[in-house]
C-alpha cells in the first residue's frame, strides 16, 4: 500500500482534536476525493486509486468502517479532458427533469429514469435494475456495471420516491419479469441501453438544450460532486471526471 499517496485522503478524515472520522465515511466522500485529486494530480491518480481501494478494504475488514467502500472508488480511464462532454448546469438538469409530463405513465417512467441518472451518475446500461436489486429497508440499490461488477449504492430519497411513483402509478400490470423500467407499449419488456439513450436525448430536446446523452448526465453528476467538494449527499454515485 502506497502510504504517501494516501496522506491527503487520511488528512481529510482527521478532526481538529486528532481523532479520525473514518467511521462516518460514505461513498460520496470517497468519490469527491478522487474527483478532486484527478484535477490536482492527474498523472498519479491511478496509483492513488489503487492505494485507496486497498486502504478501504483493510479498514473494513478491521471493523473501522461498517460498509465495504472499496467498490465506491471510481476506476480511472483516459484523462484527455478534450474528449469530456460538457457538464450541464443545475438549471439545465432541472429543465431536463421538469420536461417530463409526470401525469402520463411514460412521463412518470422517464422522470424516474432521468432522476436515477442525474443523482447516481449511472451509465445507460446500468439503469436496467430489477425489483430484487432495490433494498427498500436499507435504502440501497445494487447496480450492475462493466465487467459484471456489482456496486451497492445508497438510494437517495428523491430517487426512491420517483421509482415508487412509477411502480405504483405507471408500471403496466402485465410487465414481464421483475425489471423495473419497461417499454410503454406491449409487450412490456425491459428497456435496452439504446432506449435509455433515446429517453435522455428526447428530454434534452424538450428542455431546449439540444442533443444530450446519458454520459453527459453522468459527467454532470461528477462535476457537481467536484464543485461541492465532499459535501455531496452520501447517496450520490461516486464517479470521477474521465471515468467511463
Amino acid at each position: 500500500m502506497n502510504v504517501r499517496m494516501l496522506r491527503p485522503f487520511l488528512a481529510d478524515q482527521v478532526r481538529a482534536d486528532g481523532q479520525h472520522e473514518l467511521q462516518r465515511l460514505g461513498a460520496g466522500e470517497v468519490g469527491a476525493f478522487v474527483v478532486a485529486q484527478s484535477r490536482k494530480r492527474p498523472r498519479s491518480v491511478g496509483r492513488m486509486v489503487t492505494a485507496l481501494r486497498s486502504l478501504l478494504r483493510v479498514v473494513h475488514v478491521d471493523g473501522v468502517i461498517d460498509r465495504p467502500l472499496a467498490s465506491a472508488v471510481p476506476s480511472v480511464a483516459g484523462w484527455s479532458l478534450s474528449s469530456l462532454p460538457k457538464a450541464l448546469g443545475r438549471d439545465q438538469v432541472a429543465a431536463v427533469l421538469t420536461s417530463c409530463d409526470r401525469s402520463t405513465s411514460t412521463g412518470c417512467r422517464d422522470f424516474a429514469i432521468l432522476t436515477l441518472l442525474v443523482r447516481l451518475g449511472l451509465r445507460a446500461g446500468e439503469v436496467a435494475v430489477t425489483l430484487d436489486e432495490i433494498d427498500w429497508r436499507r435504502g440501497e440499490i445494487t447496480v450492475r456495471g462493466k465487467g459484471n461488477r456489482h456496486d451497492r449504492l445508497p438510494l437517495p430519497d428523491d430517487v426512491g420516491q420517483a421509482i415508487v411513483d412509477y411502480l405504483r402509478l405507471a408500471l403496466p400490470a402485465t410487465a414481464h419479469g421483475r425489471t423495473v423500467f419497461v417499454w410503454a407499449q406491449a409487450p412490456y419488456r425491459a428497456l435496452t441501453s439504446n432506449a435509455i439513450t433515446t429517453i435522455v436525448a428526447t428530454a434534452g430536446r424538450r428542455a431546449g438544450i439540444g442533443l444530450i446523452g446519458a454520459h453527459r448526465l453522468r459527467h454532470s453528476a461528477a462535476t457537481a460532486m467536484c464543485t461541492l467538494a465532499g459535501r455531496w449527499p452520501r447517496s450520490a454515485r461516486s464517479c470521477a471526471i474521465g471515468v467511463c
Side-chain angles (χ1 to χ4, degrees), residues 62-241:
D62 288 348
V64 178
I65 59 176
D66 60 1
R67 65 184 67 188
L69 290 176
S71 62
V73 180
S75 298
V76 180
W79 295 100
S80 177
L81 298 182
S82 60
S83 64
L84 291 177
K86 183 179 180 181
L88 298 179
R90 182 179 302 176
D91 292 342
Q92 290 177 309
V93 170
V96 169
L97 294 176
T98 57
S99 73
C100 300
D101 182 0
R102 297 168 67 185
S103 66
T104 68
S105 59
T106 300
C108 189
R109 179 203 65 188
D110 292 353
F111 178 80
I113 290 172
L114 292 167
T115 303
L116 195 61
L117 290 168
V118 166
R119 293 287 277 116
L120 297 185
L122 303 187
R123 305 176 183 89
E126 295 173 336
V127 175
V129 296
T130 68
L131 292 173
D132 301 317
E133 291 168 333
I134 301 177
D135 189 332
W136 300 105
R137 186 177 297 276
R138 290 177 176 269
E140 295 178 338
I141 183 171
T142 299
V143 175
R144 288 167 287 153
K146 287 185 175 180
N148 199 32
R149 171 177 163 178
H150 290 64
D151 292 327
R152 191 171 62 183
L153 306 174
L155 185 68
D157 290 342
D158 55 345
V159 179
Q161 188 60 58
I163 295 175
V164 168
D165 290 344
Y166 165 67
L167 293 175
R168 287 179 174 175
L169 305 174
L171 179 66
T174 57
H176 292 266
R178 295 178 62 79
T179 300
V180 174
F181 299 111
V182 300
W183 291 92
Q185 294 84 30
Y188 303 112
R189 294 192 174 93
L191 290 174
T192 63
S193 59
N194 287 337
I196 300 299
T197 299
T198 299
I199 289 171
V200 175
T202 301
R205 287 194 294 268
R206 283 198 308 263
I209 299 173
L211 182 63
I212 61 174
H215 194 69
R216 191 167 178 189
L217 296 183
R218 178 174 166 82
H219 179 61
S220 300
T223 300
M225 183 187 298
C226 182
T227 301
L228 294 176
R231 289 173 292 162
W232 188 263
R234 181 180 291 184
S235 50
R237 175 75 182 274
S238 55
C239 65
I241 292 177

